[in-house]
Amino acid sequence: GYEGTIISDYDAVLDFKYAHNYASTYEDAVVSAINAGLDADTPLNFLDISSPTTYQIFGERALKSNLISKSSLINSCKRINKIKMQLGLYNPPESCNYNQID
């Protein structure tokens, strides 16, 4: 099967509930997305990259409500960190080839 990382576009996880009526709550939407292998969600406010993501808000609630296991979240984080390491995002900026792109 696919071993890579899956990242959504804006509001994709929120769409599970309000656009597609797939999930009954936003917490259920997050659980469904993570369990399906969607490792990263984008910030809720696309104009402010530091704004929280659906995962940050509703993922924490889902975890506290025991709707998702800590190991599922850790595995998702491991996949994200793996791709960040492969891209050199943890290396000093001057040694990352992607920083040379104009």
Side-chain angles (χ1 to χ4, degrees):
Y2 181 71
E3 299 280 328
T5 300
I6 301 171
I7 300 172
S8 76
D9 61 350
Y10 287 97
D11 289 341
V13 178
L14 292 178
D15 281 346
F16 282 30
K17 179 180 178 337
Y18 76 81
H20 305 300
N21 297 315
Y22 177 79
S24 58
T25 67
Y26 292 119
E27 291 82 3
D28 288 338
V30 168
V31 171
S32 295
I34 290 173
N35 287 339
L38 182 61
D39 295 318
D41 190 32
T42 53
L44 293 174
N45 178 354
F46 69 91
L47 297 175
D48 179 6
I49 195 70
S50 67
S51 70
T53 68
T54 305
Y55 281 6
Q56 288 171 301
I57 295 170
F58 300 107
E60 182 177 357
R61 293 180 191 172
L63 182 63
K64 287 180 179 177
S65 300
N66 294 315
L67 298 173
I68 192 164
S69 70
K70 190 173 184 179
S71 65
S72 292
L73 294 176
I74 289 170
N75 288 333
S76 184
C77 290
K78 284 180 180 179
R79 289 188 295 267
I80 292 293
N81 283 323
K82 179 181 175 184
I83 199 165
K84 284 182 172 185
M85 287 192 315
Q86 290 171 333
L87 291 170
L89 297 179
Y90 295 127
N91 297 341
E94 63 276 2
S95 69
C96 182
N97 291 334
Y98 296 102
N99 287 329
Q100 311 305 318
I101 300 172
D102 290 330

